[in-house]
Amino acid sequence: MPAVILMVVMALSAMSTALDQVRCLDAARATARLLARGDSPERAITQGRALAPPGAELSVRQSGQDLEVRVVGHPGPALAWLGARATPQGSAVAAEEDDPSVTGSTLRPPVRP
């Protein structure tokens, strides 16, 4: 019986961690998208924290026109012994839409001389 209980706890913890993985990825994508289109950093981070799992860490790094957002959660209690291998995380990169070299719609390919 203890083995069955252990397996159920491990399975529930794995499912919770998998759900948190999806939430981390969604939070990173939404935050990067909001920042790229020019929304305020406070609004973007607030939205990202709302989508991320509770207690997740959200970091933003800018490199030129690229914005990288990384969200790192915490593994389920029964999987904490696995460390980083069971840590849910997601990242997303988006280019700022404020790029002065882009003219018109971003859906059209650039005109080459």
Side-chain angles (χ1 to χ4, degrees):
M1 191 64 162
V4 171
I5 292 172
L6 178 65
M7 292 304 292
V8 168
V9 169
M10 292 289 283
L12 290 174
S13 190
M15 288 177 15
S16 172
T17 301
L19 178 61
D20 284 351
Q21 172 70 31
V22 172
R23 293 180 70 191
C24 284
L25 188 57
D26 286 345
R29 286 179 178 167
T31 304
R33 184 173 42 250
L34 288 171
L35 288 170
R37 73 177 195 190
D39 285 17
S40 73
E42 295 82 18
R43 180 172 186 263
I45 290 173
T46 300
Q47 180 68 29
R49 290 200 192 286
L51 292 171
E57 297 175 20
L58 194 140
S59 62
V60 178
R61 186 170 55 113
Q62 185 167 4
S63 174
Q65 292 292 321
D66 291 337
L67 297 159
E68 180 182 2
V69 178
R70 184 168 169 84
V71 180
V72 179
H74 301 287
L79 299 179
W81 60 275
L82 288 172
R85 290 177 283 174
T87 301
Q89 53 190 322
S91 62
V93 177
E96 283 185 308
E97 294 180 9
D98 241 351
D99 188 355
S101 66
V102 176
T103 57
S105 172
T106 58
L107 297 177
R108 284 188 256 152
V111 177
R112 293 197 165 83

